[in-house]
């Protein structure tokens, strides 16, 4: 039982800069750096997309869009975490501490990343439509955000960060 509790505690998924579970071991200043790093990445992807597609929007609208997609990234991470938590609690053959121990663990982690990407896509598409994007622009924007900002660092085994 103790082993299972320890696994669950360290499996929290994260955003693109650094896995959120590592915050249990880190200084609060690093939290600020991580949050700002994610905001910068989300902003950069949104800015590059809007420049490449010639999307014009007011500054306040752009700021609201950036903040909403930033929060969407963390909501997507929570969805992925919930999936990993359920899989870890339900199946002993899923190792969330060292993901490369079995094909089932690998599949579980990839499915969590895909779940996070789909969640990012759905939320970001809705936010882009609210910001004034037309449908095909909103879909393209959400797809780019989902692909670029999915939590790929989940594929790095936990012990490397400890």
């Amino acid at each position: 039982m103790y082993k299972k509790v320890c696994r669950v505690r360290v499996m929290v998924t994260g955003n693109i800069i650094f896995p959120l579970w590592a915050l249990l071991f880190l200084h609060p200043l690093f939290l600020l750096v991580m949050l700002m790093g994610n905001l910068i990445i989300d902003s950069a992807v949104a800015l590059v997309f809007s420049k490449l597609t010639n999307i014009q929007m007011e500054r306040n609208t752009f700021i609201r869009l950036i903040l909403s997609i930033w929060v969407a990234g963390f909501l997507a991470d929570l969805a992925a975490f919930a999936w990993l938590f359920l899989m870890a609690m339900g199946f002993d053959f899923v190792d969330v501490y060292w993901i490369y121990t079995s094909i089932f663990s690998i599949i579980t982690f990839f499915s969590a990343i895909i779940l996070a990407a789909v969640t990012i896509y759905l939320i970001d598409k809705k936010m882009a439509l609210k910001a004034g994007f037309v449908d095909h622009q909103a879909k393209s924007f959400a797809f780019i955000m989902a692909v670029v900002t999915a939590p790929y660092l989940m594929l790095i085994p936990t012990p490397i960060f400890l």
Side-chain angles (χ1 to χ4, degrees):
M1 181 65 179
Y2 177 74
K3 185 176 180 183
K4 185 70 116 180
V5 171
C6 289
R7 278 193 205 164
V8 171
R9 195 181 109 224
V10 296
M11 75 172 186
V12 180
T13 183
N15 218 319
I16 194 166
I17 292 288
F18 202 78
L20 288 176
W21 55 257
L23 297 176
L24 297 171
F25 310 105
L26 298 173
H27 191 274
L29 180 61
F30 188 80
L31 173 61
L32 181 63
V33 171
M34 186 209 55
L35 291 173
M36 290 300 106
N38 284 317
L39 182 60
I40 289 168
I41 290 172
D42 289 346
S43 300
V45 173
L47 184 62
V48 168
F49 180 84
S50 65
K51 294 293 184 190
L52 291 176
T53 57
N54 294 320
I55 294 175
Q56 303 291 324
M57 68 180 87
E58 294 179 12
R59 183 176 183 200
N60 289 340
T61 303
F62 186 73
I63 290 171
R64 279 194 305 273
L65 175 65
I66 294 298
L67 293 176
S68 64
I69 63 174
W70 183 49
V71 170
F74 290 107
L75 292 175
D77 292 342
L78 288 175
F81 166 73
W83 172 249
L84 289 175
F85 181 80
L86 290 173
M87 293 301 289
M89 298 307 288
F91 303 102
D92 285 335
F93 53 81
V94 175
D95 187 355
V96 295
Y97 187 68
W98 190 268
I99 69 168
Y100 299 109
T101 56
S102 73
I103 189 67
F104 301 110
S105 294
I106 293 170
I107 290 169
T108 300
F109 271 81
F110 272 101
S111 65
I113 292 169
I114 291 168
L115 175 63
V118 168
T119 305
I120 290 169
Y121 175 83
L122 293 173
I123 296 173
D124 287 0
K125 180 182 163 199
K126 184 176 180 178
M127 295 301 124
L129 289 170
K130 281 185 178 181
F133 288 44
V134 294
D135 190 54
H136 73 278
Q137 291 172 329
K139 288 178 181 177
S140 297
F141 174 74
F143 179 77
I144 295 296
M145 290 300 296
V147 168
V148 173
T149 65
Y152 299 112
L153 287 180
M154 290 174 59
L155 297 176
I156 300 173
T158 301
I160 291 174
F161 291 106
L162 298 176

